[in-house]
Amino acid sequence: MKTLRLACASIGAASFLIAAPAFAQGASGPVKIGLMLPYSGTYAGLGNAIENGFKLYVQEQGGKLGGREVQYFKVDDESEPSKGTDNVNKLIKRDNVDVLVGTVHSGVALAMAKAAKDNNTLLIIPNAGADAITGPMCAANIVRSSFSNWQPGYAMGVVAAQKGIKRAMTITWNYAAGAESTKGFTEGLEKGGGKVIKDLNLPFPNVEFQALLTEIAAQKPDAVYAFFAGGGAVKFVKDYAAAGLDKSIPLYGPGFLTDGTLEAQGASAQKMLTTLHYADNLDTPRNNAFRKAYALAYKAQADVYAVQGYDAAQILANGLKAVGGDLAKRDQLAAAMRKTVVDSPRGKFTLSAAGNPVQDIYLRQVNGNNNELRSIAVKALADPARGCKL
Amino acid sequence: MSTATFLVQCLNAVQYGLLLFLVASGLTLIFGIMGVINLAHGSFYMLGAYLAFALAPWFGDWFLTRLVVGVALAAIFGYLLEWVFFSFLYERDHLQQVLLTYALILVFEELRSLAVGNDVHGVAAPGWLAGGFHLGGLMEYPWYRVFASAACLVVALALYAVVNRTRLGMMIRAGASNRDMVRGLGVDIRRLYRIVFAGGVALAALAGMIAAPLSSVYPGMGSSVLIICFVVVVIGGIGSITGALVASLLVGFVDTFGKVFFAEWSGVGVYVLMAVVLVWRPEGLMKRGF
Amino acid sequence: MASDAALVDAHAEVGALPDIGRREAGGWLVPAAAAVALAALPLVVSPYAQDLIVRIAIYAIFALSLELLVGATGLVSLGHAAFLGIGAYVTVLASGDSGASLALLVPLAMGGAAAYAIVVGALILRTRGVYFIMVTLAFAQMAYFVVHDTKAGGGSDGIFLYAKPTLAIGAQTLLDLGQRLPLYYTVLVMLVLTYAFIALLLGSRFGHALAGIRVNEQRMRAAGFSTTPYKLAAFVVAGALAGLAGLLLAVKDGAVNPELLSWHESGAVLLMLIFGGIGSLRGAVLGAVAFTLLKELFQSEALLGSLASHWQLTLGLTIIAFVAALPRGLIGLGARVRDLARGRAAGASP
């Protein structure tokens, strides 16, 4: 009997917990934005930067988008794909958000995309680069303000071919982002007459690279393309230099290899070339103003993630303006979001039919603690969106 | 694979294995002597790494001093932790130990996040160990890795000496085989446990400190090392330090050469090794003992 | 007969410890009433709450399967999530692009999990105590790495279930698990069936043998009882039921991920058991409810503000406090309160 009473009490408490947020909302009013980002764990810094960028734009519009107030709902996705569906359902079904914004980790983003498709909720992805999202999983109500894994890789491959690289090796973790990035590089390189002689990979998130570095030394390629992020990026670049390989075999990679990691990588990353759709020192009025405003508001330097968050808000704002702030016109809103020209700190870009930015990819070089712009690697690069039926 | 490459890969395997041994020896000691399953052991490894990062600005190139200070701090921490928390676990059954130490991991991770944040940090190798030696035009083998292997070997020898040649070691071995008898003979078993626990923590932390320049410092580094250490302890035999050494080296070789030859399945390789050992010797390679 | 004598002997020892087969307060009425209440809930609660209940029910099945191993047989497994994950992955892989019938998926998922359980069980059931716990963990990790690293498993991002299973006879679709209510009731029915099955199993000769093994395996063996086949059978049945939970989870989420096989998941289900109270089927269900709600609570920004992002700390401390103070779980809460009220030391026989 005691257990029955306990059970009833807990169910009662739980129902209140679940129902409470629903009671709080009115029928119309503010735009409900669901932010599903990593607020804990390795990617917490990225999640915060994205949110900061997003809110900065909204603030610049006077706190309103399309003439309506904005209300935020936040869920910490912990970069855990296994909890992705549950977490996104909290926003869609519990909080009844109008727009979903998220996330960093591709695996979680795929879950979000699936849920957004199933429930016809608008989704703006401010980072996750999984090719599938603007590939087989593409949908009219899903857009991305960041990049696809293929884009920086392809651009790097083009640059490598231009530098006369004939034999290259790739190395990455054994997961989708790594595979897609190296595939992009391979395509870009082969288009320019080069060849990838071997693809090395190791299980994610293993960072014992010694065995593979030895293999690279044995094969003596003209260049190496590496995709790692976070702690793995730090360790790989350091290990590569420690093995003396940087003296004879240039190391290339997408910007993630050196973004946010330069302080830790120190001397080992100097002079490295990377490609990304953003460079910190892009000397345009738009970027300078953005960086100044960001530094003023958050006492920190803006990075590519902040830009992606900022642009996510822009895309939404442009769409809402086009439909006069009427959220009921969901399909028109989605279409309007697709058709915008985004005046981004990275430069102006448009969205492809599949929902991915068509943008310039920059070539940057590490100098001190900065990734400095050298040139434009590829102009207005569009992701091929293979498998997208839109 | 050329001879030069093969030799280098062997060096890699040994270095990885020895570092693993340092962590696993602490785990097997705690297991073997006190019968406590400690899932939080990986957190002590992480503690060492973060200590290396935190102490770096204060000690600069005085690397060995930094190691000694770090180990001392970790030992004190271990002593206190045993007194405050772990001593209550001995009476409890294994399930409760698993869960309590699992909860401890959660707490440690969050405390770490609150104290130093979630960023990845680099720790520089000391100046006098920078650079490497050339391996016949193939590549450079960093001096620091040689130092790491050597340091682990020295610790292994010291551990052997302490356990087999000192009074403390004698009490440890006695306590492992029959703790009630030892208590009956007047040895303060509680203090003995505390010392052993502090020693285990110190070993793991030392491993973390040595590994910090090699693997960088990041959240979650404890979990990855913990599982592999469990495998090492299972293969080597619970409570056996020699077993832990043999098993660590085996795991080092399987992992290193697995990565080169079986890229996709290299993660599974270590577990296949464990399965094979278990079929052959269910209690691990070495019987309980030292 | 030798085996009967052994059973009688074992049964006499069981008395002092919580006996999983012993009648709890209310007998069958309490679980039956709970089931009826759950069946009526969709009329009054929101879709989000229904989702939550389905998730809790699936984890309750998972917890019940582990109860068979831990509570009934005394085998502590830190790798039970492997079977959950195998059931889930088999479901997604067998469904392919066009979906499959539930009649096919249930035996496949349960069979796949059972197959792995037979192989692993045969290898590890000779180990005891701490060893057993560690090898269960290691074999779960093995399965984890197979799905995590190899192309067959789909990699670290997991794979999606594109078409949810249905149950059809000829051209007539009886049950479409892509719809919310059919899924809700299917999961509820599975939970009731699992609970009933395990309860009956434990009340049988087989169950009493397991109890004897839990209490004193050496004595059972000394009396001539061959314990390994029984332990293996329990291990396989537990694995198969976990596979069933995995199937339902895959259907509910529409996606599977290697983290389903991680030791965090295995740890979580053990926590559910200890929350509810080892040695009680109701405890297993109650533990699943309590653990899931507790996590929801700690991660809820609405209720805890900025403390929500530090949920690992609050959860960790709560677990420690709970396990330390309430080793017999919520089920034992009533007895414990009574004991404290009467000034008796904890742990005295109820």
Side-chain angles (χ1 to χ4, degrees):
Chain A
M1 277 306 124
K2 281 205 160 62
T3 56
L4 181 62
R5 252 182 272 162
L6 194 69
C8 287
S10 38
I11 291 178
S15 320
F16 179 72
L17 202 142
I18 295 156
F23 291 154
Q25 267 332 98
S28 65
V31 177
K32 293 199 264 187
I33 300 185
L35 294 170
M36 184 158 140
L37 294 165
Y39 291 109
S40 60
T42 333
Y43 293 141
L46 282 61
N48 281 320
I50 292 172
E51 185 183 338
N52 288 345
F54 191 95
K55 288 190 169 161
L56 181 65
Y57 184 81
V58 174
Q59 209 184 311
E60 287 178 354
Q61 310 311 306
K64 291 192 183 184
L65 291 180
R68 296 175 67 154
E69 294 285 328
V70 173
Q71 188 182 17
Y72 297 106
F73 294 87
K74 283 162 61 161
V75 163
D76 177 7
D77 69 18
E78 304 162 49
S79 298
E80 284 275 4
S82 55
K83 301 184 191 163
T85 317
D86 282 330
N87 280 329
V88 73
N89 279 333
K90 283 187 199 162
L91 289 170
I92 297 179
K93 299 197 182 151
R94 183 187 68 182
D95 302 326
N96 297 305
V97 297
D98 299 309
V99 182
L100 280 170
V101 176
T103 176
V104 171
H105 190 289
S106 281
V108 181
L110 283 168
M112 287 182 77
K114 187 151 191 303
K117 254 177 121 164
D118 289 343
N119 293 283
N120 198 21
T121 312
L122 291 166
L123 170 61
I124 308 177
I125 301 176
N127 188 68
D131 288 350
I133 293 178
T134 48
M137 292 271 292
C138 69
N141 57 325
I142 299 177
V143 293
R144 192 150 48 184
S145 68
S146 52
F147 62 98
S148 72
N149 289 325
W150 181 92
Q151 282 174 312
Y154 180 83
M156 197 72 231
V158 167
V159 169
Q162 282 167 357
K163 287 192 181 298
I165 303 293
K166 290 279 177 256
R167 294 166 66 245
M169 286 173 82
T170 66
I171 178 169
T172 180
W173 278 317
N174 193 359
Y175 69 158
E180 289 167 3
S181 189
T182 51
K183 195 153 80 109
F185 175 79
T186 309
E187 254 186 69
L189 182 68
E190 286 180 355
K191 201 150 161 259
K195 201 163 121 57
V196 171
I197 57 171
K198 198 164 181 194
D199 289 308
L200 297 173
N201 59 52
L202 71 168
F204 172 81
N206 201 311
V207 287
E208 278 301 318
F209 301 117
Q210 278 303 105
L212 296 175
L213 287 172
T214 312
E215 181 66 9
I216 292 175
Q219 298 281 345
K220 295 202 206 310
D222 298 331
V224 169
Y225 177 82
F227 178 93
F228 293 105
V234 173
K235 181 155 200 274
F236 183 77
V237 172
K238 283 174 75 172
D239 280 1
Y240 194 85
L245 292 170
D246 58 339
K247 298 194 186 68
S248 49
I249 308 174
L251 178 62
Y252 299 137
F256 307 107
L257 206 56
T258 56
D259 239 71
T261 54
L262 286 174
E263 178 243 322
Q265 284 162 336
S268 54
Q270 295 306 307
K271 299 260 188 311
M272 263 185 67
L273 289 173
T274 57
T275 47
L276 198 64
H277 48 290
Y278 183 66
D280 292 337
N281 66 333
L282 216 53
D283 193 11
T284 61
R286 187 72 171 109
N287 189 37
N288 291 332
F290 166 74
R291 290 191 74 86
K292 209 156 128 201
Y294 189 91
L296 217 69
Y298 301 111
K299 315 275 182 298
Q301 286 300 312
D303 55 18
V304 62
Y305 306 104
V307 172
Q308 290 166 175
Y310 188 80
D311 291 339
Q314 275 203 65
I315 294 176
L316 179 60
N318 292 349
L320 277 173
K321 205 154 75 180
V323 295
D326 187 358
L327 283 164
K329 296 192 185 136
R330 190 161 288 192
D331 292 337
Q332 282 119 310
L333 176 55
M337 277 166 50
R338 268 289 209 294
K339 292 205 195 66
T340 59
V341 175
V342 184
D343 185 15
S344 164
R346 71 184 95 166
K348 287 202 171 61
F349 70 85
T350 55
L351 292 166
S352 66
N356 202 55
V358 179
Q359 57 193 342
D360 297 339
I361 308 288
Y362 303 104
L363 181 65
R364 311 112 42 96
Q365 188 168 43
V366 176
N367 186 4
N369 267 2
N370 288 315
N371 286 294
E372 288 180 358
L373 177 69
R374 288 283 172 268
S375 63
I376 297 181
V378 178
K379 250 196 133 2
L381 181 62
D383 176 272
R386 297 187 179 108
C388 178
K389 297 188 188 77
L390 280 180
Chain B
M1 175 178 277
S2 70
T3 330
T5 320
F6 177 73
L7 285 174
V8 175
Q9 296 290 26
C10 285
L11 267 178
N12 294 332
V14 166
Q15 181 254 305
Y16 177 53
L18 283 174
L19 208 57
L20 221 56
F21 165 70
L22 222 53
V23 192
S25 62
L27 188 65
T28 207
L29 260 181
I30 294 174
F31 255 128
I33 310 292
M34 300 179 299
V36 173
I37 300 186
N38 177 22
L39 289 181
H41 200 71
S43 303
F44 304 141
Y45 172 80
M46 180 184 73
L47 171 71
Y50 274 92
L51 265 177
F53 167 69
L55 293 175
W58 294 30
F59 288 91
D61 257 8
W62 293 29
F63 192 65
L64 291 176
T65 325
R66 199 198 315 171
L67 282 182
V68 169
V69 171
V71 167
L73 285 173
I76 295 172
F77 173 72
Y79 197 88
L80 291 171
L81 186 65
E82 198 278 354
W83 186 39
V84 163
F85 184 80
F86 273 88
S87 49
F88 299 108
L89 292 183
Y90 304 139
E91 273 93 57
R92 299 200 178 245
D93 59 51
H94 290 312
L95 176 59
Q96 292 181 354
Q97 289 173 1
V98 162
L99 296 174
L100 285 169
T101 52
Y102 175 71
L104 203 60
I105 299 178
L106 293 179
V107 171
F108 279 152
E109 281 291 322
E110 201 56 49
L111 286 177
R112 186 231 358 102
S113 173
L114 285 168
V116 288
N118 290 312
D119 295 325
V120 179
H121 295 290
V123 176
W128 52 277
L129 280 172
F133 62 93
H134 286 274
L135 285 169
L138 182 64
M139 60 192 279
E140 260 181 39
Y141 195 79
W143 281 119
Y144 188 78
R145 285 185 183 267
V146 177
F147 165 78
S149 302
C152 294
L153 268 177
V154 164
V155 173
L157 288 170
L159 204 56
Y160 179 80
V162 166
V163 168
N164 285 311
R165 300 260 185 271
T166 65
R167 252 191 78 117
L168 176 65
M170 186 178 67
M171 287 196 280
I172 290 175
R173 278 179 288 139
S177 38
N178 195 330
R179 72 184 73 150
D180 290 317
M181 182 64 94
V182 169
R183 204 186 277 146
L185 289 171
V187 175
D188 185 352
I189 200 90
R190 299 240 119 183
R191 241 185 93 230
L192 186 67
Y193 281 1
R194 215 154 284 158
I195 292 175
V196 170
F197 190 83
V201 173
L203 280 169
L206 178 64
M209 293 192 81
I210 293 179
L214 295 174
S215 69
S216 66
V217 179
Y218 59 96
M221 64 189 300
S223 308
S224 21
V225 90
L226 175 75
I227 302 289
I228 298 286
C229 278
F230 267 40
V231 174
V232 164
V233 170
V234 167
I235 293 177
I238 296 184
S240 164
I241 295 200
T242 335
L245 183 61
V246 172
S248 308
L249 289 171
L250 266 176
V251 167
F253 272 90
V254 168
D255 189 70
T256 302
F257 285 94
K259 276 213 195 85
V260 180
F261 291 124
F262 304 109
E264 234 184 38
W265 295 83
S266 64
V268 184
V270 173
Y271 299 98
V272 172
L273 171 69
M274 182 194 65
V276 166
V277 168
L278 280 177
V279 167
W280 179 43
R281 295 257 197 119
E283 302 260 301
L285 289 174
M286 312 265 158
K287 285 274 168 38
R288 175 185 282 250
F290 299 86
Chain C
M1 289 205 300
S3 46
D4 276 299
L7 279 177
V8 169
D9 246 342
H11 210 64
E13 293 250 345
V14 167
L17 292 150
D19 179 1
I20 205 169
R22 189 170 56 183
R23 292 197 148 274
E24 296 177 79
W28 282 105
L29 284 178
V30 173
V36 168
L38 282 173
L41 274 181
L43 297 170
V44 284
V45 295
S46 68
Y48 177 70
Q50 289 171 39
D51 253 3
L52 191 60
I53 293 174
V54 167
R55 181 150 65 101
I56 293 177
I58 294 175
Y59 275 105
I61 297 177
F62 186 35
L64 281 170
S65 73
L66 188 59
E67 185 72 54
L68 182 61
L69 219 54
V70 176
T73 321
L75 291 169
V76 177
S77 166
L78 195 50
H80 207 56
F83 305 112
L84 179 80
I86 290 174
Y89 266 86
V90 166
T91 307
V92 175
L93 290 170
S95 291
D97 280 333
S98 47
S101 164
L102 199 61
L104 174 67
L105 290 178
V106 170
L108 267 183
M110 294 181 75
Y116 193 63
I118 292 179
V119 171
V120 173
L123 283 173
I124 72 176
L125 279 170
R126 329 191 231 165
T127 61
R128 308 241 181 287
V130 154
Y131 252 111
F132 181 78
I133 300 177
M134 287 165 68
V135 294
T136 52
L137 171 61
F139 274 102
Q141 281 299 107
M142 186 151 136
Y144 171 82
F145 278 112
V146 169
V147 295
H148 187 268
D149 292 343
T150 64
K151 291 212 179 32
S156 64
D157 290 334
I159 32 182
F160 283 94
L161 182 65
Y162 288 104
K164 305 228 171 151
T166 56
L167 192 62
I169 295 185
Q172 176 72 12
T173 309
L174 293 174
L175 208 58
D176 177 14
L177 291 185
Q179 307 296 322
R180 186 170 21 96
L181 281 179
L183 180 65
Y184 184 95
Y185 286 110
T186 306
V187 169
L188 190 59
V189 164
M190 293 294 189
L191 176 59
V192 169
L193 286 176
T194 306
Y195 190 103
F197 174 70
I198 297 183
L200 288 171
L201 194 66
L202 293 177
S204 71
R205 259 179 72 117
F206 179 73
H208 289 146
L210 293 182
I213 293 171
R214 182 187 84 235
V215 171
N216 194 330
E217 188 178 349
Q218 255 182 319
R219 247 185 102 159
M220 295 281 282
R221 308 247 310 253
F225 211 83
S226 173
T227 56
T228 310
Y230 281 85
K231 291 200 292 187
L232 186 60
F235 197 76
V236 172
V237 171
L241 288 173
L244 175 66
L247 176 151
L248 294 172
L249 198 58
V251 172
K252 177 191 167 303
D253 279 346
V256 291
N257 185 275
E259 297 309 311
L260 281 177
L261 295 101
S262 79
W263 59 287
H264 285 284
E265 201 70 33
S266 295
V269 68
L270 277 177
L271 278 169
M272 291 179 202
L273 286 190
I274 212 165
F275 267 18
I278 305 275
S280 157
L281 292 182
R282 294 186 204 178
V285 176
L286 209 56
V289 174
F291 183 77
T292 314
L293 289 181
L294 210 58
K295 260 192 110 180
E296 279 275 316
L297 174 69
F298 285 144
Q299 291 181 310
S300 161
E301 229 187 67
L303 291 169
L304 293 178
S306 61
L307 202 57
S309 59
H310 302 300
W311 60 271
Q312 279 190 317
L313 184 63
T314 37
L315 184 65
L317 291 173
T318 307
I319 293 171
I320 292 175
F322 202 92
V323 174
L326 280 177
R328 285 181 58 200
L330 289 172
I331 287 289
L333 185 62
R336 182 107 157 129
V337 169
R338 260 182 281 125
D339 287 347
L340 287 173
R342 293 182 206 176
R344 246 191 262 165
S349 49

